[in-house]
Amino acid sequence: MSGIEPDIEAFRDAALRCPLPPAIELIGEKWSFLILRGAFNGLQHFEQFQAGLGIARNILSDRLSKLVAGEILDRAPDPDDGRKVLYRLTDKGEALLPVVVALRQWGEDWGHGCGDIELADARDGQRIERVRVTAHDGRPLSLKDLMWVDRRTGASMRRHEMEGVEL
């Protein structure tokens, strides 16, 4: 077992620097994802989000503030009505599209089945492909095909090297 211990230590070290926990902290809550879904579908005003999601005003205000602070949404005065505020996706927010689509597809497959509405390509109306992990050459990859590589040292670890090791 002593041959595995340095890898476990590296795994723990890398886990502490992993970008997943802070990302989940920002967008991993139900209402945040539903606000994102609304923004992807054109909702821009507080009242639209509230009516479209059925969310309490205080919760909506809190989540919108968090998404603005995280630079997922931009908050700006509505040029058509100075009394209103527009919430729009930033480039950082738009970059979450594959995450939201993948989660929706996962939910269709494993959770609640397909809804009546499907995502399609606006150019030709054809259903979009499944979101998947691909290699640099476009090959689809599964979990068994992946490994972690330390950018600083070049050291790598495959999942099978971790099997049976308790953290």
Side-chain angles (χ1 to χ4, degrees):
M1 287 298 261
S2 63
I4 294 177
E5 289 175 19
D7 291 337
I8 293 301
E9 196 59 41
F11 178 83
R12 286 183 183 150
D13 184 45
L16 293 173
R17 294 187 321 273
C18 179
L20 192 56
I24 291 170
E25 181 69 27
L26 179 59
I27 62 159
E29 189 271 332
K30 169 188 165 183
W31 289 118
S32 296
F33 263 101
L34 294 177
I35 290 167
L36 279 172
R37 183 188 66 183
F40 282 125
N41 285 288
L43 301 185
Q44 293 187 317
H45 294 104
F46 186 96
E47 295 77 17
Q48 291 174 327
F49 285 109
Q50 186 182 25
L53 302 175
I55 183 174
R57 294 181 70 81
N58 62 328
I59 295 172
L60 177 58
S61 179
D62 177 68
R63 297 314 184 275
L64 286 170
S65 294
K66 195 173 182 182
L67 291 169
V68 168
E71 300 176 344
I72 303 298
L73 295 176
D74 181 60
R75 184 180 192 274
D78 185 336
D80 297 329
D81 184 346
R83 299 168 297 167
K84 291 185 176 183
V85 171
L86 292 176
Y87 292 93
R88 292 180 289 211
L89 290 161
T90 62
D91 290 343
K92 183 177 177 180
E94 284 190 27
L96 287 166
L97 180 62
V99 175
V100 174
V101 170
L103 191 57
R104 175 191 167 100
Q105 290 174 343
W106 179 87
E108 289 173 347
D109 292 345
W110 297 97
H112 302 286
C114 294
D116 294 333
I117 306 295
E118 68 181 6
L119 292 172
D121 184 335
R123 185 181 71 187
D124 58 19
Q126 295 297 311
R127 186 175 194 209
I128 65 167
E129 290 289 323
R130 307 292 295 174
V131 176
R132 60 186 183 182
V133 177
T134 57
H136 63 91
D137 61 3
R139 287 176 295 116
L141 300 173
S142 69
L143 187 57
K144 67 178 176 46
D145 299 317
L146 302 176
M147 68 178 186
W148 295 104
V149 178
D150 188 318
R151 291 179 185 169
R152 299 164 301 156
T153 67
S156 65
M157 181 182 295
R158 295 181 183 271
R159 185 170 180 265
H160 73 273
E161 294 169 352
M162 297 296 299
E163 290 178 4
V165 177
E166 292 189 32
L167 295 179

